[in-house]
Amino acid sequence: MLGYMLKFLMMIFFMNFMMIKNKMGMFYYNLSFLISFMMLFVYMFKDFIWGGLFLYMGVEYYSIWLVILSVWIVGLMMMCLGGWSSELMFMFINLVVLLIMFFLSMDLLMFYLMFEISLIPTFFLIIFWGGNMERLSASYYLMMYMLLISFPLLIYIMKIYSLGLSLKFSLMMMVMYMYDYSFGGFLMIYMAFYIKMPMYVVHIWLPKAHVEAPVYGSMILAGILLKMGSYGLIRLLEVFTYMSMKFNYMILSLSIIGSVMVSMLCLIQVDMKSLVAYSSVVHMNMMLCALMTMHKLGVLGSYIMMISHGLCSSGLFYMVNLFYERSGSRLLVFNKGAMSKLSSVMLWWFLLCVANFSFPFSLNFFSELMILMVILNWNLYLIMYLMMICFMSGAYSLYLFSYVQHGSKSYGPMKFNMSLIKEFVVLIMHFYPLLMLMLNLIMLM
């Protein structure tokens, strides 16, 4: 199993050398989708998935779908490029190699290194290909948040090694599960992952980075990079089980209040991109709440939400960019009445908006159902918060849809042209897995 994954990894890595002679963008994104499908066929033998220790890498249940999602989203990012750009293609290919190595890491030190190195291509995507002058401050926000908070984790990894004498996850689970640390130690270990998710209070960098990033930067940020934090939490909660249960209630309380606050914030946004970015914060905090309960169903619900949110929010960012290219603005008021100008895109806008608030029957619905069950099982008094989150989640998604589609277009230049087939293909390939995975949920069990 691991041998297959390493072959796929090498195939993606050697795309760098193919670019010397082959300048056809279509070849690379079709190859990405082919690799995704091949990984899917390998997954049919999932009973043989085993965390191998070869080259510090291995495959297990919580990593395989995120690897498939990484390659799929990067293929869609390549489709978004208007023309050939060697620098961007180089960034995309190396970013997906880093992501796959992160999700296949079986060693805590390699896990940490891949976690940090993946920040570099994202930083360049925002700095060089971002839209406004604000992109400099946004990328510095991103850098400072990630580096300053994750550096204590590196120091703590050395302490973990001195105590457990190994950094292999499989061995640490045997040795460290009863390890006793203070609240300071808890924050040092987990804070880097909370920021990457991002948890409420430390989420300020995310809307800034999203708004300033180009469309493919937003797609990879929402689709994959936010999932790195939650995947890191899953791996380390398995290792530090006993003491995580001691402090998790604090993070759960903060996250559920944060979800309510940010969903209220979504209702007053005037920029489409920042609205979608804040809705990501709401979903990630809900997912964090389910993880913090330490229940099996909570971890499974969170895992399904990682995949569904990655596809759904990436599709929404792409949709926002379609309107931005035509109207020249991301403001809601400048994009009113789009139904009369781009009626063919309306269906996909509607489907992605309803998937965003977990409408039955989308993959998000099943993940949110599991998350609600597990949080209410943990504490029934949280039902009022969950009702508010579910209501406002539907409210801001429908607010986004109705404000953009309805009304009369009375502002800005009338530069609306017909959609390209490629744009429909990208939208279909965002939504199709959300529906197909729902029809075969046993694949995620």
Side-chain angles (χ1 to χ4, degrees):
M1 183 69 197
L2 178 61
Y4 284 121
M5 299 308 287
L6 288 175
K7 284 171 190 170
F8 293 137
L9 187 62
M10 287 287 96
M11 197 188 299
I12 295 166
F13 179 72
F14 279 107
M15 283 190 201
N16 284 314
F17 301 105
M18 294 179 200
M19 285 198 301
I20 298 167
K21 292 288 183 185
N22 188 348
K23 300 279 195 258
M24 281 181 64
M26 186 187 290
F27 171 77
Y28 295 98
Y29 61 71
N30 280 328
L31 190 57
S32 299
F33 297 138
L34 179 65
I35 291 169
S36 306
F37 278 119
M38 286 162 72
M39 286 180 184
L40 208 56
F41 295 139
V42 169
Y43 185 72
M44 290 177 181
F45 302 98
K46 69 176 189 293
D47 295 335
F48 301 107
I49 290 183
W50 177 76
L53 299 177
F54 170 65
L55 282 178
Y56 302 97
M57 294 167 81
V59 192
E60 45 104 45
Y61 289 118
Y62 294 121
S63 63
I64 179 117
W65 274 103
L66 292 166
V67 172
I68 295 170
L69 182 67
S70 304
V71 183
W72 189 263
I73 295 284
V74 168
L76 292 168
M77 285 163 60
M78 290 173 181
M79 285 185 84
C80 294
L81 291 180
W84 176 262
S85 170
S86 298
E87 296 86 0
L88 271 174
M89 292 293 284
F90 180 75
M91 284 289 170
F92 292 165
I93 291 165
N94 288 302
L95 183 56
V96 78
V97 168
L98 289 172
L99 287 168
I100 293 173
M101 287 178 73
F102 172 78
F103 291 126
L104 296 184
S105 297
M106 283 283 152
D107 184 89
L108 186 56
L109 193 59
M110 183 177 167
F111 192 76
Y112 174 82
L113 288 173
M114 294 300 128
F115 185 75
E116 290 306 314
I117 294 169
S118 64
L119 187 66
I120 297 168
T122 321
F123 183 79
F124 282 122
L125 280 176
I126 295 173
I127 284 275
F128 288 111
W129 290 282
N132 313 328
M133 282 307 293
E134 287 289 311
R135 66 181 186 271
L136 292 171
S137 66
S139 50
Y140 289 143
Y141 255 88
L142 179 72
M143 210 60 153
M144 288 303 106
Y145 262 88
M146 298 299 171
L147 290 183
L148 288 178
I149 309 295
S150 63
F151 186 65
L153 174 60
L154 181 61
I155 297 165
Y156 215 87
I157 286 172
M158 300 303 144
K159 185 181 178 185
I160 291 168
Y161 183 70
S162 68
L163 293 168
L165 299 178
S166 175
L167 290 177
K168 295 279 185 297
F169 284 119
S170 50
L171 296 175
M172 284 163 65
M173 280 179 211
M174 299 180 207
V175 178
M176 305 291 289
Y177 73 101
M178 290 293 281
Y179 172 62
D180 195 356
Y181 48 62
S182 63
F183 185 63
F186 174 79
L187 286 181
M188 282 175 80
I189 291 172
Y190 289 118
M191 203 62 186
F193 302 109
Y194 292 148
I195 281 182
K196 197 81 165 186
M197 285 190 66
M199 185 177 73
Y200 182 67
V201 177
V202 289
H203 70 286
I204 312 296
W205 65 270
L206 182 76
K208 277 185 172 292
H210 268 308
V211 169
E212 303 309 324
V215 59
Y216 29 82
S218 290
M219 284 168 71
I220 194 76
L221 199 57
I224 312 295
L225 293 171
L226 297 189
K227 312 301 172 286
M228 292 172 75
S230 40
Y231 178 70
L233 281 179
I234 290 175
R235 299 312 304 264
L236 287 178
L237 286 172
E238 287 177 335
V239 175
F240 303 106
T241 313
Y242 175 70
M243 289 308 291
S244 297
M245 295 186 79
K246 185 175 171 183
F247 296 116
N248 276 357
Y249 71 95
M250 299 183 192
I251 305 299
L252 197 150
S253 313
L254 181 62
S255 295
I256 203 150
I257 297 289
S259 286
V260 176
M261 301 287 281
V262 177
S263 53
M264 286 178 181
L265 199 59
C266 284
L267 289 168
I268 59 163
Q269 292 300 314
V270 292
D271 185 322
M272 292 192 289
K273 207 168 187 184
S274 61
L275 197 156
V276 179
Y278 277 114
S279 79
S280 288
V281 180
V282 177
H283 286 106
M284 289 292 107
N285 278 279
M286 283 281 285
M287 193 183 83
L288 182 57
C289 290
L291 271 180
M292 293 294 105
T293 59
M294 304 282 284
H295 289 156
K296 177 67 178 172
L297 187 66
V299 176
L300 183 63
S302 303
Y303 183 48
I304 297 174
M305 183 168 262
M306 284 186 217
I307 297 151
S308 59
H309 175 266
L311 291 161
C312 182
S313 63
S314 173
L316 280 168
F317 278 116
Y318 182 73
M319 187 74 81
V320 166
N321 187 66
L322 289 190
F323 283 69
Y324 174 58
E325 284 174 351
R326 286 161 172 77
S327 66
S329 174
R330 286 193 303 262
L331 295 178
L332 284 161
V333 73
F334 286 128
N335 289 283
K336 283 179 71 172
M339 194 188 288
S340 59
K341 300 285 184 290
L342 276 175
S343 54
S344 51
V345 179
M346 187 198 75
L347 172 68
W348 300 104
W349 187 256
F350 176 74
L351 288 172
L352 286 166
C353 279
V354 295
N356 197 39
F357 73 83
S358 308
F359 188 81
F361 291 87
S362 64
L363 193 58
N364 305 55
F365 171 69
F366 292 96
S367 63
E368 198 151 310
L369 205 60
M370 291 178 187
I371 286 170
L372 294 178
M373 282 194 291
V374 82
I375 294 173
L376 289 177
N377 182 49
W378 189 77
N379 191 338
L380 194 59
Y381 292 113
L382 296 176
I383 192 165
M384 290 306 294
Y385 294 106
L386 293 173
M387 284 167 63
M388 289 170 72
I389 293 165
C390 290
F391 170 74
M392 282 188 288
S393 180
Y396 65 68
S397 296
L398 291 176
Y399 158 71
L400 174 64
F401 171 75
S402 57
Y403 204 107
V404 170
Q405 298 297 329
H406 300 285
S408 59
K409 172 80 174 165
S410 54
Y411 303 98
M414 303 289 281
K415 290 194 301 186
F416 281 77
N417 58 332
M418 286 303 290
S419 293
L420 303 169
I421 290 178
K422 185 183 81 171
E423 293 170 354
F424 284 115
V425 171
V426 173
L427 293 171
I428 290 165
M429 292 183 81
H430 273 112
F431 189 75
Y432 184 75
L434 284 176
L435 199 63
M436 286 298 107
L437 282 175
M438 184 273 293
L439 295 175
N440 192 8
L441 270 180
I442 193 71
M443 292 182 77
L444 292 160
M445 299 302 179

